[in-house]
Amino acid sequence: MHKTQLDIAKTNVQEKGFLDISAPPDRLLVEEIYKLKKEKNAVILAHYYQEDSIQDIADFVGDSLALAQEAAKTEAAIIVFAGVHFMAETAKILNPTKKVLLPDLKAGCSLADSCPPVDFKKFVAMHPDHKVVTYINCSAAIKALSDIVCTSSNASKIVNSFPKSQKLIFAPDKNLGEYINEQTGRNMVLWDGACMVHEAFSIDKLIDVHLRNPDALIVAHPESPKHILKVATYIGSTSGLLNYVKESKKQKFIVATEAGILHKMQQQVPHKILIPAPAKEDNTCACSECHYMKLNSLKKLYLCLKHETPAIEVAEELRKKALLPITRMLELS
Ligand code: 13P
Ligand code: SF4
């Protein structure tokens, strides 16, 4: 006889005297999350790098820009942000009266961490005649020191909104900054920060994979270092990569970004072959995974929705300062 998750849980109680009472088993978790979402008028926003089960249950899955746009227009009372801290914080900055929940408060970002506000303030002070463009992957304190925010899908457009004569600082991602300098013909001063996931791609291993798959196109996220971008046929944000792979007539792709994107990508192109770009260090999946993004789980999502914690808080004075550059970006996007 086929055993349901509930049967297994009951057997555990009877035979082992064990039951995790903090959350139901996975299948029931999904049902419970749907129930709670309705009861509480909550919306689940998820980034493409979240685990598959979270993407599948989310009301909206997108890249950083689309998620910020969705957060700006949602009418839900509660936003469960299945992503990392700076994303949930951006949603809170846009929605001070709503509850914004992050399933795991430790879901940070190596790129955001690479730009401490005290040091960045000094850096900005050293370049008095420069305007400050910051990638959305940074803290509210960094946003508050910025003239405008951008994401990987609108960075060129945002930079081009300034006259050519305007000197610019770009932070915190040096790889994206270098790429945008090339795209726009600028010479922006770059903060020396990077994403550990994209930095981890191995060019040697990537070339080996391509030699074994000469019919595959390499597509890459612009947070990747220059040597990876140099061999890519297409460079774009997560949604850019998704659309490119969907629209292309080619059948095989090596994808250089966090491996979570492959879930939605494969759903959209079920007959195409997708190969994750290899990371330097061999890990279990031999690809690049963001351990911050993967801190969120379906169980944590359920618990945070049920207990309405952990919630993101941003001090009002800081929120107002950080809101300005985000609003400027949204108006231009
Ligand atoms: P996008 O969602 O803008 O492609 O950025 C990817 C990323 O690193 C988010 O942390
Ligand atoms: Fe940050 Fe990189 Fe993880 Fe994105 S993938 S959240 S930039 S560490």
Side-chain angles (χ1 to χ4, degrees):
M1 192 187 72
H2 173 70
K3 278 194 171 185
T4 65
Q5 294 275 6
L6 187 60
D7 292 333
I8 294 166
K10 281 180 186 161
T11 314
N12 275 340
V13 182
Q14 285 158 5
E15 292 177 3
K16 302 175 193 161
F18 155 81
L19 176 63
D20 181 357
I21 51 161
S22 54
D26 269 14
R27 186 186 58 82
L28 296 182
L29 265 184
V30 173
E31 283 168 25
E32 286 302 313
I33 290 171
Y34 279 129
K35 224 159 65 190
L36 284 170
K37 216 159 56 92
K38 208 167 162 196
E39 264 169 42
K40 297 185 181 225
N41 183 22
V43 68
I44 301 173
L45 307 182
H47 190 268
Y48 290 122
Y49 296 166
Q50 289 293 285
E51 65 169 50
D52 300 356
S53 61
I54 293 183
Q55 292 192 43
D56 290 344
I57 203 171
D59 296 286
F60 183 84
V61 185
D63 69 357
S64 305
L65 177 63
L67 288 167
Q69 287 169 327
E70 204 60 29
K73 67 176 187 220
T74 185
E75 282 173 6
I78 295 178
I79 299 172
V80 181
F81 214 112
V84 289
H85 191 275
F86 74 81
M87 296 177 172
E89 191 177 58
T90 303
K92 181 66 183 177
I93 291 166
L94 289 161
N95 294 284
T97 58
K98 292 188 203 296
K99 207 167 243 183
V100 178
L101 307 170
L102 181 63
D104 191 322
L105 215 46
K106 291 191 290 301
C109 167
S110 65
L111 181 52
D113 290 347
S114 71
C115 194
V118 178
D119 299 336
F120 190 61
K121 204 171 178 177
K122 288 183 199 152
F123 186 75
V124 173
M126 279 162 56
H127 302 88
D129 47 353
H130 290 59
K131 296 273 186 203
V132 181
V133 182
T134 50
Y135 190 33
I136 198 163
N137 301 34
C138 64
S139 65
I142 297 296
K143 289 184 176 83
L145 296 167
S146 313
D147 292 288
I148 194 160
V149 165
C150 72
T151 75
S152 54
S153 53
N154 63 15
S156 288
K157 190 175 179 183
I158 298 291
V159 166
N160 279 333
S161 71
F162 290 94
K164 277 264 180 213
S165 55
Q166 176 61 58
K167 292 180 188 168
L168 298 173
I169 287 173
F170 188 88
D173 191 3
K174 63 174 179 198
N175 293 327
L176 177 63
E178 201 178 340
Y179 173 67
I180 300 300
N181 267 345
E182 278 171 15
Q183 291 294 299
T184 59
R186 304 260 175 168
N187 188 22
M188 298 187 291
V189 179
L190 307 180
W191 178 263
D192 187 15
C195 158
M196 63 197 283
V197 178
H198 291 85
E199 283 278 299
F201 289 125
S202 157
I203 187 65
D204 289 347
K205 287 187 181 178
L206 178 59
I207 289 167
D208 285 348
V209 173
H210 196 245
L211 285 171
R212 288 198 299 276
N213 298 276
D215 51 336
L217 290 185
I218 299 172
V219 296
H221 194 282
E223 284 175 24
S224 309
K226 196 172 182 169
H227 52 262
I228 301 289
L229 298 183
K230 249 183 168 168
V231 296
T233 303
Y234 176 79
I235 297 164
S237 71
T238 43
S239 55
L241 298 177
L242 225 141
N243 289 336
Y244 182 81
V245 167
K246 207 162 83 181
E247 301 303 325
S248 170
K249 289 195 170 56
K250 291 277 183 180
Q251 291 302 307
K252 210 188 248 189
F253 301 87
I254 303 170
V255 184
T257 193
E258 209 270 356
I261 187 75
L262 297 174
H263 179 58
K264 270 273 171 288
M265 216 177 240
Q266 197 71 78
Q267 280 179 348
Q268 299 201 5
V269 291
H271 304 300
K272 295 192 180 183
I273 298 169
L274 307 174
I275 306 166
K280 284 176 204 145
E281 301 297 330
D282 274 330
N283 54 25
T284 43
C285 71
C287 60
S288 249
E289 284 202 331
C290 175
H291 72 265
Y292 294 109
M293 284 278 182
K294 270 33 180 199
L295 278 176
N296 295 327
S297 64
L298 210 54
K299 180 171 165 179
K300 288 181 195 170
L301 197 154
Y302 161 79
L303 290 172
C304 92
L305 185 52
K306 183 170 183 202
H307 302 296
E308 299 184 21
T309 186
I312 302 288
E313 299 299 341
V314 183
E316 186 56 13
E317 204 181 323
L318 174 62
R319 189 193 72 81
K320 279 191 198 147
K321 284 186 191 156
L323 178 63
L324 224 68
I326 298 172
T327 309
R328 285 194 193 119
M329 171 190 79
L330 291 175
E331 281 167 6
L332 280 176
S333 300

